[in-house]
Amino acid sequence: MGESVPAFIIFFVVIAGSIAIFVSIENSKNTDFERGFACSEEVIADYTTSGNTSKEIIEYINQFRNESGKSILVFDARAYDLAISRANDMVEYEYYAHTNPYTGVCSENVKQDFGFSDGEYISQIIFEIPGVNHKSLCFSFEQRNATEVVDEWKDQENSRNNLLYAGHLAGAVGCKLDVCVFIGVNSNRYGNRCI
């Protein structure tokens, strides 16, 4: 039997103001998975949130901020690049934390690499989408609404406070596979430490 070639497909669809993330992993030839046996193959796909999708997620966050009497956030391309970098780092090193336990890297100590000044401070929220194992071919389809990631943050006190922090001027959200990161930018030293 020929070797199967995995294909990883992720696409976003905007429906009624929400952003749907669809994740599909398929094999081009018959596999043990298709015949009902346990999967032994692994694949690491190369999906990252686009800048346009990040802008749409920030618009959704701004709806929440507006309802709560807070000023809107401006999308910041530097924050987007930093969010993607942090999500990539978590996937590459296989950890889920604000600071890389192996290298000590966190948003605050690399912010200048992304064009932030000493007077700009970074606050980060992280989220790992449950039920998605980005290395496994043992699932054929997963769906996650990107606004649900924000809703999860809204339901957690510290994350909600971060989303609603009045001093945030700008921000972005970036996802790599099953990890999403919000970066808020402020000038009030909010979140200016590695935890």
Side-chain angles (χ1 to χ4, degrees), residues 70-126:
K70 308 298 182 191
S71 61
I72 64 167
L73 300 178
V74 175
F75 172 80
D76 189 308
R78 300 168 306 165
Y80 166 73
D81 290 340
L82 179 55
I84 293 297
S85 174
R86 299 303 305 130
N88 281 336
D89 194 65
M90 281 184 253
V91 169
E92 179 182 350
Y93 285 91
E94 298 183 348
Y95 71 95
Y96 178 70
H98 291 277
T99 300
N100 184 320
Y102 308 104
T103 66
V105 170
C106 76
S107 293
E108 184 61 27
N109 64 21
V110 296
K111 70 179 185 181
Q112 290 182 331
D113 297 343
F114 294 86
F116 292 101
S117 69
D118 287 338
E120 293 176 296
Y121 299 95
I122 302 302
S123 184
Q124 174 179 283
I125 309 173
I126 58 177

Side-chain angles (χ1 to χ4, degrees), residues 8 18 34 45-46 71 88 99 127 132 141 161 164 182 185:
F8 189 91
S18 8
E34 291 169 335
D46 189 24
S71 61
N88 281 336
T99 300
F127 185 77
V132 176
F141 185 80
N161 291 342
L164 293 177
F182 165 79
V185 184

Side-chain angles (χ1 to χ4, degrees), residues 60 145-156 163:
Y60 182 69
N145 190 315
T147 58
E148 290 178 19
V149 173
V150 176
D151 290 339
E152 291 281 345
W153 287 333
K154 287 161 56 175
D155 288 340
Q156 300 167 11
L163 288 177

Side-chain angles (χ1 to χ4, degrees), residues 13 23 37 46-47 56 87 105 119 149 155 169 187-188 192 194:
V13 179
V23 181
F37 297 97
D46 189 24
Y47 166 73
E56 292 170 355
V105 170
V149 173
D155 288 340
L169 306 171
S187 58
N188 301 330
N192 70 324
C194 296

Side-chain angles (χ1 to χ4, degrees), residues 4 25 27 31-43 133 135-140:
S4 67
I25 295 183
N27 289 316
T31 63
D32 287 344
F33 172 67
E34 291 169 335
R35 293 192 313 270
F37 297 97
C39 298
S40 59
E41 298 178 70
E42 291 187 343
V43 62
N133 178 355
K135 289 187 177 182
S136 175
L137 290 177
C138 292
F139 67 93
S140 59

